[in-house]
Amino acid sequence: MTPDAKVEEKARPVSDPERGPEHGAAPDVPAGRLARVRRVLYKAAQFGRVEVRGITPIPVKERTVERTVNIFTLWWSMNTNILGITFGMLAPIYGLNLRDSSLVILFFTLLTTVLPAYLSTWGPKTGMRQMLQARYSFGRNLVSIPVLLNLATLIAFCVIMAVVGGQCLSSVADGNLSVSLGIVLTAILTLGISFCGFTVLHMFERYAWITALISIIVAVGTGGKELRNQVTYDAPPAASSVLSFGMIVASYMIPWACLSSDFTTYLKPDTSSTKIFTYSYLGLAVPTILLMTLGSAIGNAIANVPHWQDAYDETLVGGVLAAMLAPAGGFGKFLVVLLSFSLLGNLAATSYSVTLNLQLLLPFLVKVPRYLFSIVFAAIVIPLAIRAADDFFVSLENFVALIGYWTSAFLAVVLVEHFVFRKGDCAAYDAEAWNDAGRLPWGVAALGAGTLSFALVIPSMAQVWWTGPIAEKTGDIGFELAFVVSGLLYLPLRWAEKRWSRR
């Protein structure tokens, strides 16, 4: 038996459903020095609870996890933190009071959560991570373009969370801890969880939300009396303001669909899709609606509460939360620290998907162990977050509004491929073809449909730096048009591609 074969023999999965991911098959390695280095890394990873499998499809025999409620606790922990509050605080920028912004948050969240919740159900049936499954629409090589866009989106979200976490830590240190150092601490803590992978991630998310929820409840209790000091507006909001803020909410929710199945691939194939959808939908929607609404209430009260305004001017979101918890004294400061660490639930899961996407970015990167990309992730996020902290809310507004356009176009293509060309059958995705360009679609139809849709999307965008002629009359309807137009264009383009390519 060759050394590589011995590694494969030792790496056969065990039946324990809670330990399967980190004991999956060792990835194929070339012979020589590189092979020896990778075998050492692989054995070191197996010694701990580190997931050694990367982007490759999960075989049926390794899809053994039965604890379906993990899906709920993961999404719940990812969204039970101060990120939703931060997004809700953007409402006053669009001239929306608490009542109007709450209705926008409720409607757009309930609508857009359907996408990530549904795509979560694909993981157990295909054994594929979300962006790997996209190869069956975009092809082996052209999928690098949406993967790159997804990486930019995920990393930008992580930058936002690292900045907010750094602001919270700085706000309780009375100037003795800079925002930059707080960012570094947040990123380092995240690295450890994403390095370990699936099992440790789910274990962490199972409990991470508890301290966050307690801290938020106490903050509302101690600072809630000031929330009644809401800013009043002279006129009802324009439809354009409603749609533009709706775009912000949608841009928070829709991107989760680009990583949904990353967290469900180890579930047993016969796991109820209804249960997965319900757990995902509730875990995503409920905390988002509540915390964004709270953020809107805080944002609309800041101008009328002088000490909140002073704290906001000093360290933005972290400062306001520290001011709300100030009546609790030292315990309040302790809770602000817990609130900063509440972001780890979201950061850890998002960075885990980043490590998988980095493996997919270029075909040869699949040979690099997934867990090593967690170090690359930290090296990227820390300097970007330190730079973004200088003008945080401007950076946040400009970035978030752009996410919904490409993700809507991408998801429309993936869904049309699934329902129309594969008849809604997950068995129609040949797992053996995942890395074979000759058996996968060209991807020209998928990329063409998404790109051509921007002929209508661009005139429908309403951004600080550009407002299209359609958006001037309607508000930002870019993500809606991206979804509809891309899906419609993909039908004839994919039909023609199939006819010429025979795949």
Side-chain angles (χ1 to χ4, degrees):
M1 183 178 288
T2 65
D4 284 345
K6 291 179 181 177
V7 172
E8 288 289 336
E9 179 69 23
K10 292 179 181 179
R12 286 179 182 171
V14 294
S15 59
D16 183 352
E18 292 295 318
R19 300 176 66 241
E22 65 269 20
H23 291 268
D28 293 333
V29 296
R33 184 176 301 174
L34 178 60
R36 289 193 293 274
V37 171
R38 292 195 64 204
R39 279 196 290 274
V40 170
L41 289 172
Y42 172 72
K43 290 178 179 178
Q46 277 199 314
F47 183 75
R49 297 181 71 87
V50 178
E51 179 185 2
V52 296
R53 180 180 292 281
I55 201 66
T56 57
I58 313 300
V60 173
K61 63 184 179 181
E62 291 183 36
R63 292 180 231 160
T64 57
V65 175
E66 298 177 349
R67 193 183 177 94
T68 318
V69 74
N70 279 352
I71 304 304
F72 173 77
T73 54
L74 180 134
W75 288 118
W76 183 271
S77 287
M78 286 180 70
N79 290 277
T80 304
N81 54 56
I82 54 180
L83 184 62
I85 295 174
T86 304
F87 274 69
M89 288 175 67
L90 292 172
I93 295 175
Y94 296 92
L96 297 177
N97 60 27
L98 177 58
R99 173 186 173 276
D100 295 329
S101 60
S102 297
L103 291 173
V104 173
I105 291 166
L106 178 64
F107 174 77
F108 278 90
T109 301
L110 292 177
L111 175 66
T112 55
T113 304
V114 172
L115 290 173
Y118 174 65
L119 265 64
S120 291
T121 66
W122 292 7
K125 293 178 173 60
T126 65
M128 295 185 216
R129 319 293 185 148
Q130 203 66 67
M131 296 306 287
L132 176 65
Q133 189 272 336
R135 280 188 173 183
Y136 293 77
S137 306
F138 286 84
R140 180 175 180 264
N141 298 313
L142 290 183
V143 78
S144 296
I145 295 175
V147 167
L148 183 62
L149 291 170
N150 196 40
L151 278 169
T153 298
L154 297 179
I155 289 173
F157 263 114
C158 290
V159 165
I160 292 170
M161 288 182 279
V163 171
V164 175
Q167 289 170 348
C168 287
L169 292 175
S170 178
S171 68
V172 298
D174 299 323
N176 297 318
L177 177 70
S178 68
V179 173
S180 296
L181 183 55
I183 288 170
V184 172
L185 291 174
T186 303
I188 290 175
L189 289 171
T190 302
L191 188 154
I193 302 170
S194 84
F195 183 92
C196 292
F198 186 92
T199 299
V200 171
L201 175 66
H202 276 285
M203 290 174 60
F204 176 78
E205 303 289 6
R206 200 176 300 163
Y207 308 105
W209 61 273
I210 298 174
T211 55
L213 184 61
I214 293 172
S215 301
I216 291 169
I217 290 173
V218 174
V220 174
T222 56
K225 64 180 181 179
E226 303 290 1
L227 293 176
R228 62 189 174 187
N229 298 314
Q230 295 288 296
V231 172
T232 57
Y233 298 90
D234 296 331
S240 58
S241 297
V242 170
L243 288 172
S244 294
F245 184 61
M247 176 68 182
I248 296 293
V249 178
S251 296
Y252 178 91
M253 297 304 300
I254 293 176
W256 297 131
C258 298
L259 48 86
S260 292
S261 72
D262 291 0
F263 310 121
T264 60
T265 47
Y266 286 102
L267 289 173
K268 295 180 68 174
D270 60 354
T271 303
S272 168
S273 293
T274 300
K275 185 180 290 187
I276 294 174
F277 179 89
T278 303
Y279 279 155
S280 299
Y281 192 91
L282 294 176
L284 278 160
V286 174
T288 298
I289 291 170
L290 295 176
L291 294 177
M292 277 197 184
T293 302
L294 175 60
S296 174
I298 294 171
N300 274 295
I302 287 175
N304 290 336
V305 184
H307 66 284
W308 283 16
Q309 184 68 63
D310 293 341
Y312 173 82
D313 292 339
E314 186 69 25
T315 48
L316 298 178
V317 181
V320 174
L321 291 171
M324 292 177 68
L325 285 162
F331 180 62
K333 289 188 175 183
F334 172 70
L335 291 181
V336 175
V337 174
L338 292 183
L339 282 174
S340 70
F341 291 151
S342 74
L343 291 163
L344 292 177
N346 197 317
L347 267 168
T350 305
S351 62
Y352 172 70
S353 286
V354 168
T355 63
L356 295 169
N357 276 252
L358 284 169
Q359 277 197 315
L360 255 179
L361 184 58
L362 295 171
F364 69 86
L365 290 177
V366 73
K367 298 178 181 179
V368 180
R370 180 208 61 81
Y371 44 85
L372 293 185
F373 280 118
S374 59
I375 301 171
V376 176
F377 160 80
I380 294 172
V381 166
I382 290 173
L384 288 178
I386 291 173
R387 175 65 185 88
D390 294 337
D391 203 356
F392 177 65
F393 269 103
V394 173
S395 301
L396 175 61
E397 183 186 3
N398 290 341
F399 151 70
V400 170
L402 291 174
I403 297 173
Y405 306 131
W406 87 262
T407 51
S408 293
F410 167 80
L411 292 170
V413 167
V414 170
L415 289 170
V416 170
E417 174 71 29
H418 180 72
F419 285 111
V420 177
F421 296 100
R422 299 185 189 269
K423 311 301 182 186
D425 184 7
C426 288
Y429 299 90
D430 180 7
E432 298 297 323
W434 73 275
N435 203 31
D436 186 347
R439 296 165 66 185
L440 292 169
W442 287 343
V444 175
L447 190 61
T451 303
L452 290 174
S453 71
F454 275 76
L456 267 179
V457 171
I458 292 174
S460 306
M461 294 166 54
Q463 301 295 320
V464 174
W465 40 267
W466 163 257
T467 300
I470 297 176
E472 287 178 352
K473 299 180 179 180
T474 65
D476 196 321
I477 56 172
F479 90 89
E480 295 95 332
L481 284 176
F483 189 83
V484 173
V485 176
S486 295
L488 292 175
L489 287 173
Y490 188 62
L491 288 168
L493 291 176
R494 178 69 172 120
W495 177 83
E497 183 183 84
K498 284 191 69 175
R499 184 176 181 181
W500 290 332
S501 67
R502 302 296 181 185
R503 20 178 164 131

